[in-house]
Amino acid sequence: MEILGIDIGGSGIKGALVNAETGEMLTERFRIPTPKSKKPEEMAKVVAKIVKHFNYEGPVGCGFPSIVKNGVCMSPGNLHKSWVGVNIDELFTEYTNHEFTVLNDADAAGYASMNYGVGKGKNGLVIMITIGTGLGSGAFYNGVLIPNFELGQIPYKKYKKIESWAAASAKEREDLSYEKWSKRFNKFLKYVELIVSPDLIIVGGGTSKKWGEFSHNIKIETKVVKAELMNHAGIIGAAVACLREQHHGHLHQ
């Protein structure tokens, strides 16, 4: 079963064909930079280019960097504010003529870990944290997704949301060393632990590739492990979610 998975990020939109049984990527990732405007129409055009690149027929799973409720964007995240209220499933279906299932990007990455990775078979409350432009979080209880668990949105000091202070974008913006930045990230994990008391935390997203540079500063009670699917998790998880989550953008015949 071959499904196209697309992962939308603040800096790039990536896609690949995935074997939905094994979670294996069957093609190289194809990436196009996210349009500077970060507006719905421009981004939908890029998504259409990715679908066309793979010459693919069939439903598409897509991870999206904000709160997604029944296919509708509920907050702009790090994108343009005009996304709020847009039915992403329907928009992408309209531009590509394929059925779409869109879910939060950290939920998608979590799907990959829970089905094929370090989270497989893990019961209790498992939290997936993805470090990128923002701090995404996906929650699974006994393997079942609890959608839109947006822990990066917790207010912190003068910041409207803690991700503005502790995500990879803050590290770049302030030119922080891994040593300095990871202390911030650990502070964020302390809040996660305090608020939801997870049984396991899985860390993924682009920055997890540098795990060796900062894991020594993660000092919380909860077990914290690195996601082994790394940057491909969003694509793989989106493809799997396409089979599990039932909110497709419908083709109008």
Side-chain angles (χ1 to χ4, degrees):
M1 182 82 183
E2 197 172 281
I3 291 187
L4 177 59
I6 293 178
D7 183 24
I8 294 181
S11 58
I13 300 177
K14 311 167 282 286
L17 290 176
V18 175
N19 179 319
E21 271 89 53
T22 63
E24 219 176 328
M25 270 181 28
L26 303 169
T27 60
E28 287 291 308
R29 273 193 335 169
F30 178 61
R31 183 186 187 277
I32 299 176
T34 303
K36 285 202 165 51
S37 73
K38 298 187 181 178
K39 286 183 176 175
E41 282 68 29
E42 281 90 336
M43 287 174 63
K45 283 174 188 164
V46 172
V47 167
K49 279 183 193 164
I50 288 175
V51 174
K52 199 171 178 190
H53 171 83
F54 288 101
N55 194 13
Y56 171 77
E57 297 300 322
V60 183
C62 178
F64 192 83
S66 92
I67 298 171
V68 181
K69 200 168 179 183
N70 300 323
V72 176
C73 178
M74 305 303 287
S75 81
N78 295 300
L79 304 175
H80 192 269
K81 61 181 187 295
S82 61
W83 270 106
V84 176
V86 170
N87 186 315
I88 317 164
D89 287 353
E90 297 289 353
L91 177 73
F92 290 170
T93 291
E94 190 186 318
Y95 273 80
T96 62
N97 215 30
H98 285 62
E99 289 200 344
F100 260 77
T101 294
V102 180
L103 73 164
N104 171 272
D105 57 348
D107 289 352
Y111 253 113
S113 250
M114 298 304 289
N115 283 278
Y116 313 108
V118 71
K120 192 173 180 180
K122 296 282 190 292
N123 280 333
L125 183 61
V126 179
I127 301 286
M128 173 91 185
I129 303 289
T130 54
I131 313 166
T133 310
L135 288 172
S137 53
F140 291 79
Y141 189 69
N142 291 344
V144 178
L145 173 70
I146 308 169
N148 297 315
F149 227 71
E150 286 279 346
L151 296 164
Q153 304 296 311
I154 299 165
Y156 180 72
K157 292 190 174 172
K158 65 178 184 191
Y159 298 90
K160 276 189 182 163
K161 40 191 184 180
I162 195 165
E163 68 177 9
S164 308
W165 178 74
S169 49
K171 181 185 181 302
E172 281 160 35
R173 191 177 61 244
E174 297 179 43
D175 199 21
L176 300 171
S177 63
Y178 275 103
E179 196 59 30
K180 279 193 170 157
W181 167 79
S182 58
K183 286 177 179 166
R184 292 187 181 191
F185 183 63
N186 185 64
K187 173 74 112 175
F188 165 66
L189 292 182
K190 278 187 170 176
Y191 279 112
V192 171
E193 184 175 62
L194 179 70
I195 296 163
V196 299
S197 304
D199 295 292
L200 175 69
I201 294 174
I202 302 169
V203 176
T207 308
S208 66
K209 280 191 274 197
K210 299 284 188 182
W211 182 251
E213 307 259 351
F214 67 86
S215 59
H216 61 282
N217 274 332
I218 294 179
K219 295 168 180 168
I220 62 170
E221 297 293 315
T222 309
K223 187 178 180 186
V224 182
V225 297
K226 182 183 76 146
E228 63 308 312
L229 300 161
M230 312 276 247
N231 240 355
H232 300 325
I235 292 174
I236 295 166
V240 188
C242 186
L243 298 178
R244 308 283 173 88
E245 300 288 305
Q246 293 308 310
H247 43 253
H248 296 299
H250 295 291
L251 289 173
H252 301 293
Q253 301 300 347

